[in-house]
Amino acid sequence: MAVSSPLPQGAPPVHVAIIMDGNGRWATARGLPRTAGHRKGVEAVRRALEAARELGIRYLTLYSFSSENWNRPRDEVSDLMQLLRFYLRGEIASLHKNGVRLRVIGDRSRLSKDIISLIDNAESLTASNETLTLVIALSYGGRQEIASTTRQIAEQVKAGHLEPSDIDEGRFANYLSTAGIPDPDLCIRTSGEKRISNFLLWQLAYAELVFVDTLWPDFTKRDLEDAIQEYHRRDRRFGASVGSR
């Protein structure tokens, strides 16, 4: 068994976002149906959450189901929804016991009523927890979120509650589904793909992006530690030149 190397000096990133990719390829490589990869991916979620807690990460956002994923075969979508039910019913007590707060972002209008109820109950139960906030991006799309936020602000202006001059980056961010959550410091994508696929388009403006070849079902604490090591090697200037620091 490989021994994890110690993390470099410095605080861990406050907020880590992960695009969990590769479940289908993991299954195909083993001659299994794609649904087997999704089930195995749930185990990787547990490992990532435990590792994040151990490393002192305060926010962990997981891209679990995009708005585009509704276009997948009906049987696959149905299986993913069943896995979501399983997770919400079977894991919430453990999350609560370990001080994890759950937040779910995305368009809930396409979810079944029982799933919405499970989400509401889980969010309510864990609302006061402070060890770590787990954000699940479900039926989520970054462009859709920005469009929805723009509509909300436009309605406020139309109603006379806001002036156009009141709208700045901070005001806009307050209408996003991630309001009150710091923007990610680090975004990891598994499976070797090098794109963000409509994920947190506003929030990732200054995040460090790390792409790893590991397929999501094989993702371990060591992979997370390696990504954080890469994060610590980066020079984060937030658009400022070296000379201005």
Short mmCIF file of all heavy atoms in Angstrom, two decimals, residues 206 235-245:
data_model
loop_
_atom_site.label_atom_id
_atom_site.label_comp_id
_atom_site.label_asym_id
_atom_site.label_seq_id
_atom_site.Cartn_x
_atom_site.Cartn_y
_atom_site.Cartn_z
N TYR A 206 -11.26 32.32 -10.39
CA TYR A 206 -9.87 32.36 -9.96
C TYR A 206 -9.43 31.06 -9.29
O TYR A 206 -8.40 31.04 -8.60
CB TYR A 206 -9.64 33.54 -9.02
CG TYR A 206 -9.63 34.86 -9.76
CD1 TYR A 206 -10.73 35.72 -9.70
CD2 TYR A 206 -8.55 35.22 -10.56
CE1 TYR A 206 -10.73 36.90 -10.40
CE2 TYR A 206 -8.56 36.42 -11.26
CZ TYR A 206 -9.65 37.26 -11.18
OH TYR A 206 -9.66 38.43 -11.88
N ASP A 235 1.25 29.87 -8.01
CA ASP A 235 1.39 31.25 -7.55
C ASP A 235 0.08 31.96 -7.85
O ASP A 235 -0.18 32.36 -8.98
CB ASP A 235 2.56 31.94 -8.27
CG ASP A 235 2.79 33.35 -7.77
OD1 ASP A 235 2.22 33.72 -6.73
OD2 ASP A 235 3.55 34.10 -8.44
N ARG A 236 -0.76 32.09 -6.84
CA ARG A 236 -2.11 32.64 -7.04
C ARG A 236 -2.06 34.16 -6.93
O ARG A 236 -1.94 34.72 -5.84
CB ARG A 236 -3.08 32.06 -6.02
CG ARG A 236 -3.11 30.53 -6.03
CD ARG A 236 -4.23 30.01 -5.13
NE ARG A 236 -5.52 30.19 -5.78
CZ ARG A 236 -6.66 30.35 -5.11
NH1 ARG A 236 -6.65 30.42 -3.79
NH2 ARG A 236 -7.81 30.47 -5.76
N ARG A 237 -2.20 34.84 -8.08
CA ARG A 237 -2.10 36.30 -8.09
C ARG A 237 -3.45 36.99 -8.31
O ARG A 237 -3.54 38.21 -8.27
CB ARG A 237 -1.10 36.74 -9.14
CG ARG A 237 0.32 36.28 -8.85
CD ARG A 237 1.33 37.03 -9.71
NE ARG A 237 1.15 36.77 -11.13
CZ ARG A 237 1.70 35.76 -11.78
NH1 ARG A 237 2.47 34.88 -11.14
NH2 ARG A 237 1.50 35.60 -13.08
N PHE A 238 -4.47 36.22 -8.65
CA PHE A 238 -5.80 36.79 -8.86
C PHE A 238 -5.80 37.94 -9.85
O PHE A 238 -6.49 38.95 -9.67
CB PHE A 238 -6.41 37.23 -7.52
CG PHE A 238 -6.56 36.11 -6.53
CD1 PHE A 238 -5.59 35.88 -5.57
CD2 PHE A 238 -7.64 35.25 -6.58
CE1 PHE A 238 -5.71 34.84 -4.66
CE2 PHE A 238 -7.77 34.21 -5.68
CZ PHE A 238 -6.81 34.01 -4.72
N GLY A 239 -5.03 37.80 -10.90
CA GLY A 239 -4.99 38.81 -11.96
C GLY A 239 -3.97 39.90 -11.74
O GLY A 239 -3.72 40.71 -12.63
N ALA A 240 -3.35 39.95 -10.56
CA ALA A 240 -2.35 41.00 -10.28
C ALA A 240 -1.00 40.57 -10.82
O ALA A 240 -0.66 39.40 -10.85
CB ALA A 240 -2.27 41.26 -8.79
N SER A 241 -0.17 41.54 -11.22
CA SER A 241 1.17 41.22 -11.67
C SER A 241 2.06 40.96 -10.48
O SER A 241 1.76 41.35 -9.36
CB SER A 241 1.73 42.39 -12.49
OG SER A 241 1.89 43.54 -11.67
N VAL A 242 3.19 40.32 -10.73
CA VAL A 242 4.13 40.01 -9.65
C VAL A 242 4.58 41.29 -8.96
O VAL A 242 4.69 41.36 -7.74
CB VAL A 242 5.33 39.22 -10.18
CG1 VAL A 242 6.35 39.00 -9.06
CG2 VAL A 242 4.88 37.87 -10.76
N GLY A 243 4.83 42.31 -9.73
CA GLY A 243 5.36 43.54 -9.16
C GLY A 243 4.37 44.29 -8.30
O GLY A 243 4.76 45.15 -7.52
N SER A 244 3.07 43.97 -8.43
CA SER A 244 2.08 44.71 -7.66
C SER A 244 1.80 44.08 -6.32
O SER A 244 1.05 44.60 -5.54
CB SER A 244 0.75 44.79 -8.45
OG SER A 244 0.19 43.49 -8.60
N ARG A 245 2.41 42.92 -6.05
CA ARG A 245 2.14 42.24 -4.78
C ARG A 245 2.98 42.82 -3.65
O ARG A 245 4.05 43.32 -3.87
CB ARG A 245 2.45 40.74 -4.93
CG ARG A 245 1.51 40.07 -5.91
CD ARG A 245 1.74 38.58 -5.93
NE ARG A 245 1.34 38.00 -4.64
CZ ARG A 245 1.55 36.72 -4.33
NH1 ARG A 245 2.16 35.93 -5.17
NH2 ARG A 245 1.15 36.26 -3.17
#
